[in-house]
Amino acid sequence: MTVDTNIRRPLGEERSLVCEVTGLELQGSGAIVVLTLAPADGRELPSWTPGAHIDVLMDNGIERQYSLCGDVAPGEPWRIGVLREPQSRGGSEYMHTSVSVGQHLTLQGPRNNFEVVDAPAYQFIAGGIGVTPILPMIRKVEAEGKPWRLMYGGRSSSSMAFLDEISQYDGHVTLWPQDTAGIIPVRDLVSALEPGTAVYCCGPEPLLNAVEDAMSHLPADQLHVERFRPRQDLLEQVRTPFDIVLDYSELELHVPADKTIIEVVEAAGLEVMSSCREGTCGTCETVVLSGSPDHRDSYLTAAEKASNEVMMICCSRSKSPRLVLDL
């Protein structure tokens, strides 16, 4: 990733978009609700690319990110799939019980940190609701005539969504219901990869960890993952205080051990774009002008973290006593 440090990140809130729920369908034995969204003012929706997600700002004050899984063609409505989580923090429960056709939802985005790179072939690995960002990727590479395969796992066949849509790609897809087939054989899958195959994986943390471990001997840029939840091992590390300099705003601030950078910046009266507050969405990405960030996000790639050009100020901290940020 190339970062132009001469370009200042804008302060303030991202522009919101109001959409109407024009369709609602339950899939996966009712565990997944698929919403179709169209702009309430009749305008054309912003363009997007496979892998993109949007933020949904709910009436209960909760904000969540959901992958777009519909058609990328201009003029087409947006579509998202939401899994009803047993231990929901309020987001999925709201989307399943409080949203109806005709209702207006406030959205932000789309943004994409899961772009499809050019590659000779593709191996997609999806677990459960992680299939949603993969669907438009499949349409893209299929239209381009690129070789591809999908390994799609779920708790059971009945819990897996979008099967009618996926069935049109017979011969490219392997369905792997855990109740009858067991755990996805990740190492066998990886060992069978042709050289240069791009691997895209989205799903629960155990699946992502297994794929990362199995591919640790391969070039880092061959694997692309997207997490719906942050890596707790990163967020739970010891927090120490440090100072930050906001170059654009000409402010120097202290970040105590019990505060995040974004909390300190906001307390100083500056508004910055943010969403998940746990390092998964990339909204608060900020250019680092000087210092050594302690990356604790689940968004940046290993190469991006090593470059120390940007950081997520909602959760990451500093290894050096002082950080200079482009804010």
Side-chain angles (χ1 to χ4, degrees), residues 15 22-23 29 37 46 50-51 63 87 102 156 164 173 177 180 190 193 202 204 267 274 313 327:
R15 183 174 178 271
T22 59
S29 299
L37 305 163
E63 184 175 335
Q87 276 79 46
S156 64
D164 289 344
V173 177
T180 58
V190 170
L193 293 175
C202 187
S274 68
I313 61 173
L327 284 174

Side-chain angles (χ1 to χ4, degrees), residues 3-42:
V3 177
D4 184 353
T5 55
N6 292 315
I7 299 176
R8 304 285 183 176
R9 283 184 60 81
L11 300 179
E13 292 301 315
E14 186 177 17
R15 183 174 178 271
S16 297
L17 174 71
V18 178
C19 279
E20 179 181 345
V21 179
T22 59
L24 190 155
E25 176 189 2
L26 290 176
Q27 294 196 28
S29 299
I32 295 171
V33 61
V34 181
L35 303 178
T36 304
L37 305 163
D41 60 7

Side-chain angles (χ1 to χ4, degrees), residues 202-219:
C202 187
E205 190 67 17
L207 174 63
L208 299 180
N209 291 341
V211 173
E212 287 177 333
D213 183 57
M215 293 188 65
S216 60
H217 65 291
L218 296 174

Side-chain angles (χ1 to χ4, degrees), residues 222-287:
Q222 195 170 342
L223 174 61
H224 309 265
V225 302
E226 182 168 62
R227 283 178 161 83
F228 292 143
R229 292 179 178 173
R231 288 184 51 178
Q232 290 301 316
D233 60 321
L234 295 178
L235 296 183
E236 293 171 357
Q237 292 178 9
V238 174
R239 291 160 49 133
T240 56
F242 55 95
D243 294 322
I244 56 173
V245 176
L246 309 186
D247 183 67
Y248 183 64
S249 304
E250 298 182 343
L251 288 176
E252 184 162 356
L253 305 170
H254 180 70
V255 182
D258 62 343
K259 298 289 184 181
T260 64
I261 294 176
I262 202 166
E263 288 171 339
V264 170
V265 170
E266 289 176 336
L270 298 181
E271 294 183 2
V272 293
M273 292 191 297
S274 68
S275 179
C276 72
R277 299 276 172 148
E278 55 189 12
T280 57
C281 73
T283 307
C284 68
E285 180 179 306
T286 300
V287 171

Side-chain angles (χ1 to χ4, degrees), residues 15-19 39-41 44-46 78 105-109:
R15 183 174 178 271
S16 297
L17 174 71
V18 178
C19 279
D41 60 7
E44 189 172 292
L45 290 167
W78 284 349
L105 293 176
T106 301
L107 314 175
Q108 289 180 345

